Amino acid sequence: RLLAAEQARLGWDYPIHLGVTEAGEGEDGRMKSAIGIGTLLADGIGDTVRVSLTEDPEYEFKPCSRLVNLGEEQLSEDMIAKQAAVTEFDDTRDFTKYGRRESALPEQREGDPVDYRGLLHRDGSVINAISTEMLETPDYFYKAIGCKTAVGMPFKDIATSDSLLLTDVPAEDNKKARTAIRRLQESNVGMIVPVDLLRETPLPNAVALVPLAEADTAEIPECAGRVAY
């Protein structure tokens, strides 16, 4: 972005090549390429693209072609019309300056029944959306989110999801799903639930997810241990 901005300032119309060198293999390599290349293409930056994976060269074509197609979609009449409909925004950020965003991680409070310090991770948080149906096969589910298990009990590991976003809340009589949630909470995995769902079906020690538009007026259920906006 700095290069594109400087070229525009100087009136230089030179092609820009995009690539993430040796991004890796498998899903990791493809995700890194999509993030590094795709975001720039979405901003209208880039003329040529190279996806570099730690795999045989023929496997690099498909993700590369997919990214190029996504970039070209940004130039379609329909997409341009959607972009033009977005309300104008005065961006006061200075993208020429580098620095970490200042923020605070969740802290533990006296009397908290579960440990909330693991809701987020300082190096980047992993949050997965889940459903009640997934919780009804706990042994398989624990492994799917990266938990280590011992005698059927989940333990949080470096590869475990930090928090889970529940798209629905299991009923109180669904013992299997509720037990899986409680064990994950005891393992320091956060449970985030949209506030309207939490009002309908309370879930102890959950994090109530409140839309920003309702931040001042939302009624927070008593079962919520924390609130996220």
Side-chain angles (χ1 to χ4, degrees):
R1 291 183 178 92
L2 287 170
L3 174 63
E6 187 65 10
Q7 283 192 181
R9 186 182 71 82
L10 296 172
W12 292 357
D13 188 15
Y14 292 106
I16 296 177
H17 177 72
L18 305 180
V20 178
T21 303
E22 287 295 332
E25 61 182 353
E27 290 183 355
D28 282 353
R30 286 159 176 78
M31 284 190 289
K32 290 176 185 176
S33 297
I35 294 168
I37 299 171
T39 52
L40 292 173
L41 287 175
D43 285 347
I45 299 172
D47 298 277
T48 59
V49 174
R50 161 73 195 278
V51 171
S52 179
L53 302 175
T54 314
E55 300 178 20
D56 292 333
E58 59 267 26
Y59 294 112
E60 297 174 340
F61 175 75
K62 189 173 181 180
C64 185
S65 176
R66 175 66 174 147
L67 284 171
V68 169
N69 289 338
L70 289 172
E72 288 180 343
E73 286 177 11
Q74 301 297 313
L75 302 176
S76 67
E77 290 185 8
D78 182 51
M79 188 59 70
I80 291 172
K82 288 180 179 179
Q83 292 167 354
V86 175
T87 306
E88 241 181 271
F89 171 68
D90 183 18
D91 192 348
T92 58
R93 296 171 298 173
D94 185 354
F95 63 85
T96 63
K97 293 183 178 178
Y98 296 89
R100 282 183 176 272
R101 182 186 302 170
E102 293 184 7
S103 60
L105 293 171
E107 296 180 352
Q108 194 69 0
R109 301 170 186 165
E110 186 177 351
D112 279 340
V114 297
D115 192 342
Y116 289 101
R117 290 172 293 185
L119 288 173
L120 302 174
H121 194 283
R122 64 177 185 179
D123 296 325
S125 305
V126 177
I127 300 175
N128 296 106
I130 65 166
S131 64
T132 296
E133 184 181 358
M134 298 165 72
L135 290 163
E136 291 174 349
T137 51
D139 291 339
Y140 174 80
F141 179 69
Y142 295 152
K143 293 178 182 178
I145 61 170
C147 282
K148 300 290 186 183
T149 56
V151 200
M153 299 293 288
F155 295 92
K156 194 170 186 178
D157 186 61
I158 190 171
T160 308
S161 299
D162 298 293
S163 292
L164 302 173
L165 174 63
L166 276 67
T167 56
D168 61 311
V169 181
E172 290 187 22
D173 60 356
N174 189 335
K175 301 298 183 185
K176 184 175 284 188
R178 288 265 173 166
T179 299
I181 288 175
R182 177 175 53 78
R183 288 176 175 172
L184 286 168
Q185 287 177 318
E186 291 170 353
S187 300
N188 209 11
V189 177
M191 295 292 156
I192 304 172
V193 185
V195 69
D196 54 343
L197 292 180
L198 203 56
R199 290 194 205 103
E200 295 172 8
T201 313
L203 181 68
N205 309 315
V207 178
L209 181 61
V210 179
L212 279 176
E214 301 173 18
D216 295 331
T217 59
E219 182 182 339
I220 309 301
E222 289 185 9
C223 64
R226 292 289 189 277
V227 180
Y229 298 98

